[in-house]
Amino acid sequence: MSRKVFDLFPSPVFKVNILDDITSELTEKDLSDLAEWVTSAPVPANPVLDICEGDVKTCFIEDWEFASFVLHDTPEFHDLVLAYVNQYVHMMGIEYVIIADSWYTKMNKGARVNRHRHENSVVSGTLYLNAPEGSQGLAFVNPTIPYRMKDKTQESTKYNEQLALVEVKTGDLILHPSWLEHFVPPIDCDNRITISFNCDYKRLA
C-alpha cells in the first residue's frame, strides 16, 4: 500500500546571511557603520511603541505621513534587500513589491517585542545589523492554532507546535508574510540593532 503525507498550505519564512551569501559584498564593518548611523542623528527616535517593552529605541511611527525610510537613505542596502525580497515573492508566486517603509530598533537586556503582525503590508522583513549572543531570534505563531477546536497533544511534532523560533546572528535577513504573527522574546544582551521593513505592491503612476 502506498502512503503519502501532504504538507498543505505552508507559511514560508526565508533567512539568508548577507555576510556569507556569494551575491553580497558587504562586510561586518558595513553593518556596524549602518548601525551607528541609523541609531544617531539622521532619524528621530520614537520613545513610545505599544508593542515594545523594556529598553527599546526605535524610529518606527504608525502614522504613514511620518513613516521612516532608513533603507531608502542607504541605496546599497536597499537594493540588496530588495533583490532578496524579489526572490522571495517569486518563490511565493505573487507580484513583485517595493519596500514601503523601514525603521531601526535598538534593544537592550530584558527588552521584548510583543506578538503582532504588520498591517497594510505584503511581505515584512528584518535585517540584523548587530545580534550579540543572547539576542534571541524571531518567534512565529502557528496560524492554524485558532482553528484546532479539539486537538489534544501527546507529543510535540511539526504539525502541532504553537511557536517556532528562528535563531539569528549578525548579518541575517529574515523575510516572512506580513500576516504571520511574530514576536521577540525577552533578550539577554545589549545593543541588539535591527532594521525592519514592510513591502507593498508597486503603484501605478
Side-chain angles (χ1 to χ4, degrees):
M1 181 173 64
S2 177
R3 300 183 181 184
K4 293 183 179 180
V5 175
F6 298 92
D7 288 337
L8 302 177
F9 313 123
S11 303
V13 174
F14 172 90
K15 182 174 84 166
V16 62
N17 190 280
I18 65 172
L19 298 179
D20 299 335
D21 193 61
I22 59 172
T23 62
S24 168
E25 297 180 356
L26 295 174
T27 66
E28 285 193 41
K29 185 178 186 306
D30 294 325
L31 292 179
S32 178
D33 289 347
L34 179 58
E36 182 177 352
W37 180 79
V38 297
T39 56
S40 59
V43 283
N46 177 13
V48 178
L49 191 60
D50 289 344
I51 63 170
C52 296
E53 295 182 20
D55 188 355
V56 180
K57 178 183 177 184
T58 180
C59 65
F60 176 78
I61 299 177
E62 293 191 35
D63 188 338
W64 177 251
E65 250 184 83
F66 302 99
S68 179
F69 304 98
V70 294
L71 279 177
H72 291 73
D73 294 329
T74 54
E76 184 178 16
F77 281 91
H78 173 276
D79 294 348
L80 179 64
V81 168
L82 184 59
Y84 286 120
V85 169
N86 282 330
Q87 292 175 31
Y88 177 74
V89 298
H90 178 74
M91 176 190 70
M92 293 179 67
I94 62 176
E95 292 183 18
Y96 288 109
V97 296
I98 59 172
I99 297 175
D101 65 335
S102 52
W103 61 94
Y104 80 84
T105 303
K106 179 179 178 180
M107 302 172 64
N108 289 322
K109 188 171 183 177
R112 63 183 296 164
V113 179
N114 294 326
R115 177 173 167 172
H116 65 287
R117 63 181 183 178
H118 293 222
E119 304 285 347
N120 299 316
S121 177
V122 182
V123 172
S124 297
T126 301
L127 174 62
Y128 292 80
L129 303 183
N130 190 46
E133 185 176 350
S135 287
Q136 293 285 7
L138 197 55
F140 292 93
V141 181
N142 185 340
T144 70
I145 294 300
Y147 304 101
R148 299 185 176 197
M149 297 167 285
K150 209 172 180 179
D151 284 8
K152 291 184 178 180
T153 301
Q154 63 179 2
E155 62 179 308
S156 179
T157 73
K158 68 177 182 178
Y159 299 109
N160 62 28
E161 62 183 357
Q162 297 197 16
L163 303 171
L165 180 67
V166 177
E167 296 183 354
V168 296
K169 64 179 182 179
T170 297
D172 279 345
L173 171 67
I174 293 181
L175 303 173
H176 58 88
S178 298
W179 55 260
L180 188 59
E181 289 189 308
H182 54 283
F183 62 93
V184 179
I187 66 171
D188 192 27
C189 66
D190 288 327
N191 208 37
R192 178 189 190 271
I193 302 174
T194 61
I195 291 179
S196 298
F197 55 90
N198 290 319
C199 300
D200 202 352
Y201 296 116
K202 295 180 180 178
R203 294 181 174 84
L204 297 177

